[in-house]
Amino acid sequence: MKLLFTIVCLGCSIFGFGFQNEIRSNEGDDYQTLTSLFSQWRAFEDPPKVDGVPDYSAATFNARHPNFKLLQDKLTAIDTTGWETAQKVDWMIVWAEMNGYDFNHRVLRPWQRDPAFYKTLWMYRSDVPAHEGPTHHAILEFWQYKFPLTKEDRSKLLAQFTLIPGINAKAREYLTGNAKELWIAGIRTIKNQASQLNQLKIHPELKKDRQMQKAINSAMLSTMEFASWLEEQAKFKNGVSGIGKDNYTWYLKNVHLVPLTWEDEVLLLKRELARAWAALKLEEHRNRKLPPLKAAASAEEFKTMTDKAAKSLLKFLDQQEIVTVKPYYKPALYEHLGTFVPEEKRNFFEIGRHFDARPLYSHFYHWFELARMDTEPHSSPVRKGALLYNIFDSRNEGTATAVEEMFLDAGLYDDSPRVREIVYIMIAQRAARGLGSLYAHANQLSMEDAGSIHSEYTPRGWMKTEKDLLIFEQHLYLRQPGYGTSYITGKYLLEAAMADYAKMKEGNEKAFSVKDFFDELNSIGNIPISLGHWQMTGENQHLQSIWDASN
């Protein structure tokens, strides 16, 4: 009897993903057909550009739609019978990406509804494979440039700055939506871009370049004008911003490959919120005779504490055989140790980091994964880069959240039991903010009220100290369905995968190894947990509801 750790598929029959289709392909059914189609699909997904500006006009979408349907038909025509599981997984990734394009076109329409979509300048690298939330197709990744600039890089950067006024101008043409809260919150994002451009005017390597200064100034002024236009138009916006329960469930299953419904996620997040609060109170009781944690009170104390925390985590992962610690783990972690923040300015994550950084550094498993992408890219062209539409969220955010508690359970805090309390506070915060985002997408709560759940149900008032993080997170989750819940749902799905993996080992009379589990998880790339579960265990019944829902 198979062990199924899922709440939606009990009693479903197992499918083998043979996909007998009515449409047949003339190109063959070998795996090379899929990788070739993937290249065609990714080329198509990048829209045509007019003077370098992506064309998001309704006329262009409509004109290109027959070609999109042709790509979909080619994909469904491929018969994967006899393929290896890993190859079938790649097929599903391409299928999910195409569904994401379709959903964006039909429902989400960020180019029409979401002013933040037109943020062009990105000063930092995301801690997940691509930026969180929808982005347009001509963004400027400033963090990728190394100074002093080469001649080629200078020309490229100058051209990108020069493009911003055109992007802002076209945004006014394309932004015809009526999503009030997305519109208003997006103004803040665009104003932040203007501030960042203003700061770049005094960048040591750019302030001496007259052409660059002219381009940056023009970009800044056009961004400020764009923000003013958004403010004026906001007066006329009165529509909802959530996509509704049915659309949310379709998106979860068919794009992010999360085998849950909106209702399932509400139940799961309520459960995790209650569990985290209860566990926290029991930990506090257990530790009641221990002295409270003391936060770093100076830059020197912070540096000493964070260095100790990083060394402790890396030593634990290695000596306790949690995962194979690669040479790039240490530099990846040490690049993000953080800096001292005065107590009155600390947000939720900085509060915890100043007590003991190990819970947050556990979540920084993110940076190990990105370093692996850079250093050891996956051999599959489908998995080599970032999946589109944040499809990686259950994998990257879910794993980073899951390991916080998994490392706790494995003994990371045996030397300081009160640090365990921070882990449960972090879980409660993720559950509370995700729960708020669910109600916002169902249009049952405003973004502000969703933020109230986020704030009120985070223990110790740690989400009440600094409002910028609260606004940023709830805005992101309204822009990107499923992201706010992915931390907890991904955690749940990873635990389910580990359970089936352990059951598989036990059934084969083999010892379960935590290290083997994480090494195998790492080796398959940043793909949805549901697909990783399938590839690692051969178990795919949890995916049945996804395929059933699509037919």
Side-chain angles (χ1 to χ4, degrees):
M1 180 176 181
K2 291 186 178 293
L3 180 64
L4 299 178
F5 293 88
T6 179
I7 62 178
V8 295
C9 290
L10 295 178
C12 297
S13 61
I14 294 177
F15 58 85
F17 281 83
F19 302 135
Q20 300 298 326
N21 303 285
E22 295 179 3
I23 302 172
R24 299 301 303 153
S25 170
N26 294 324
E27 300 177 11
D29 289 322
D30 61 355
Y31 179 69
Q32 183 60 42
T33 303
L34 176 67
T35 58
S36 176
L37 180 61
F38 174 72
S39 296
Q40 296 173 47
W41 151 243
R42 282 298 188 89
F44 170 86
E45 200 274 341
D46 190 4
K49 297 178 176 62
V50 179
D51 297 327
V53 178
D55 184 351
Y56 298 115
S57 66
T60 295
F61 271 109
N62 292 336
R64 301 180 78 222
H65 192 67
N67 288 333
F68 169 66
K69 295 302 295 183
L70 179 61
L71 289 169
Q72 277 193 315
D73 289 346
K74 286 183 175 181
L75 179 68
T76 56
I78 298 174
D79 185 351
T80 64
T81 303
W83 283 22
E84 297 176 0
T85 299
Q87 295 173 332
K88 294 178 182 180
V89 165
D90 281 357
W91 186 99
M92 280 209 74
I93 292 170
V94 182
W95 178 76
E97 286 195 347
M98 290 185 181
N99 288 340
Y101 177 92
D102 174 61
F103 187 85
N104 273 10
H105 185 210
R106 290 186 296 106
V107 179
L108 201 59
R109 303 190 313 279
W111 48 86
Q112 290 182 1
R113 303 171 68 246
D114 179 9
F117 178 74
Y118 293 100
K119 172 182 168 67
T120 298
L121 178 63
W122 293 87
M123 299 298 294
Y124 59 88
R125 182 180 191 176
S126 175
D127 62 1
V128 289
H131 290 295
E132 300 165 335
T135 58
H136 68 75
H137 289 76
I139 61 174
L140 194 172
E141 302 277 21
F142 189 82
W143 59 273
Q144 290 183 343
Y145 287 94
K146 306 299 181 185
F147 292 89
L149 296 170
T150 64
K151 182 178 180 180
E152 292 75 17
D153 279 349
R154 180 191 174 278
S155 296
K156 179 182 176 182
L157 181 57
L158 180 61
Q160 288 187 298
F161 280 132
T162 304
L163 199 60
I164 291 177
I167 292 171
N168 292 337
K170 277 296 184 181
R172 300 192 198 190
E173 177 183 330
Y174 299 144
L175 280 168
T176 58
N178 191 34
K180 181 178 179 179
E181 290 190 303
L182 281 180
W183 194 281
I184 293 173
I187 295 171
R188 174 175 168 273
T189 301
I190 300 304
K191 285 185 174 180
N192 285 344
Q193 174 169 291
S195 296
Q196 290 172 338
L197 285 164
N198 192 42
Q199 287 298 310
L200 286 179
K201 290 171 63 177
I202 58 173
H203 187 282
E205 298 293 333
L206 300 178
K207 66 181 181 181
K208 299 173 288 186
D209 188 323
R210 290 185 179 181
Q211 279 188 298
M212 201 72 77
Q213 285 289 302
K214 182 179 179 181
I216 294 172
N217 196 55
S218 178
M220 183 188 69
L221 291 175
S222 76
T223 301
M224 293 170 62
E225 292 170 358
F226 180 34
S228 296
W229 178 84
L230 289 170
E231 288 179 323
E232 184 64 28
Q233 294 297 310
K235 302 173 185 177
F236 309 104
K237 304 302 176 184
N238 56 17
V240 298
S241 295
I243 62 173
K245 294 180 185 179
D246 290 343
N247 281 329
Y248 189 96
T249 294
W250 192 95
Y251 188 72
L252 280 180
K253 291 190 174 186
N254 293 278
V255 182
H256 287 236
L257 303 180
V258 172
L260 302 170
T261 64
W262 181 91
E263 290 80 5
D264 292 330
E265 288 205 336
V266 169
L267 179 63
L268 178 60
L269 268 67
K270 283 183 175 180
R271 168 66 184 124
E272 278 292 280
L273 182 58
R275 188 187 69 83
W277 267 88
L280 172 62
K281 294 304 149 183
L282 291 170
E283 280 294 331
E284 290 173 345
H285 176 79
R286 177 191 181 196
N287 301 329
R288 65 192 183 280
K289 295 182 180 180
L290 297 177
L293 294 173
K294 182 182 177 183
S298 67
E300 184 178 2
E301 286 184 12
F302 181 83
K303 185 177 185 301
T304 299
M305 183 271 291
T306 52
D307 181 66
K308 179 181 177 182
K311 289 177 179 177
S312 172
L313 175 61
L314 293 170
K315 180 180 178 181
F316 168 78
L317 295 178
D318 183 32
Q319 294 189 358
Q320 295 304 313
E321 300 181 334
I322 305 298
V323 66
T324 298
V325 176
K326 297 295 185 75
Y328 49 76
Y329 275 33
K330 182 176 180 179
L333 178 57
Y334 269 75
E335 190 176 343
H336 298 92
L337 295 187
T339 56
F340 176 74
V341 177
E343 184 176 3
E344 66 275 11
K345 295 183 179 180
R346 293 171 194 164
N347 65 22
F348 173 82
F349 296 107
E350 292 300 345
I351 293 171
R353 174 157 35 190
H354 280 67
F355 281 117
D356 190 306
R358 286 177 293 180
L360 185 60
Y361 291 171
S362 295
H363 195 84
F364 284 3
Y365 201 89
H366 278 320
W367 298 111
F368 301 154
E369 293 183 320
L370 294 186
R372 183 169 57 254
M373 287 183 71
D374 294 340
T375 309
E376 302 177 288
H378 201 279
S379 60
S380 165
V382 177
R383 308 186 200 191
K384 185 176 182 179
L387 305 189
L388 301 179
Y389 316 121
N390 286 187
I391 292 173
F392 50 75
D393 58 0
S394 69
R395 167 65 172 85
N396 294 95
E397 299 293 11
T399 298
T401 304
V403 298
E404 294 169 12
E405 189 170 9
M406 288 178 172
F407 295 169
L408 175 155
D409 289 336
L412 177 57
Y413 307 115
D414 287 355
D415 63 339
S416 184
R418 277 212 178 269
V419 184
R420 295 166 59 97
E421 298 168 19
I422 298 176
V423 175
Y424 291 119
I425 294 171
M426 291 173 71
I427 294 172
Q429 189 256 7
R430 270 62 171 272
R433 71 186 185 185
L435 190 60
S437 76
L438 282 165
Y439 292 127
H441 268 297
N443 295 308
Q444 295 178 357
L445 290 180
S446 67
M447 195 178 97
E448 182 179 356
D449 289 339
S452 294
I453 293 178
H454 184 172
S455 178
E456 292 299 323
Y457 284 89
T458 295
R460 299 183 184 173
W462 282 12
M463 276 305 303
K464 297 180 180 180
T465 63
E466 195 270 332
K467 299 299 182 183
D468 188 68
L469 177 65
L470 182 68
I471 296 169
F472 168 80
E473 291 184 332
Q474 286 301 327
H475 181 210
L476 166 62
Y477 305 152
L478 196 56
R479 299 182 63 229
Q480 178 58 66
Y483 207 98
T485 58
S486 69
Y487 301 79
I488 297 298
T489 56
K491 174 180 181 292
Y492 156 73
L493 293 171
L494 182 62
E495 291 165 347
M498 178 179 279
D500 267 345
Y501 185 87
K503 182 64 169 61
M504 176 188 70
K505 292 292 185 179
E506 186 175 299
N508 293 328
E509 298 184 347
K510 295 182 179 179
F512 170 80
S513 164
V514 173
K515 186 175 183 179
D516 287 348
F517 175 80
F518 277 108
D519 282 354
E520 190 168 346
L521 179 72
N522 292 343
S523 73
I524 63 179
N526 296 306
I527 63 175
I529 288 292
S530 59
L531 297 185
H533 186 162
W534 180 21
Q535 183 168 335
M536 293 173 67
T537 68
E539 173 59 57
N540 59 20
Q541 189 167 344
H542 59 287
L543 294 169
Q544 183 69 46
S545 69
I546 293 174
W547 190 246
D548 287 347
S550 70
N551 289 280

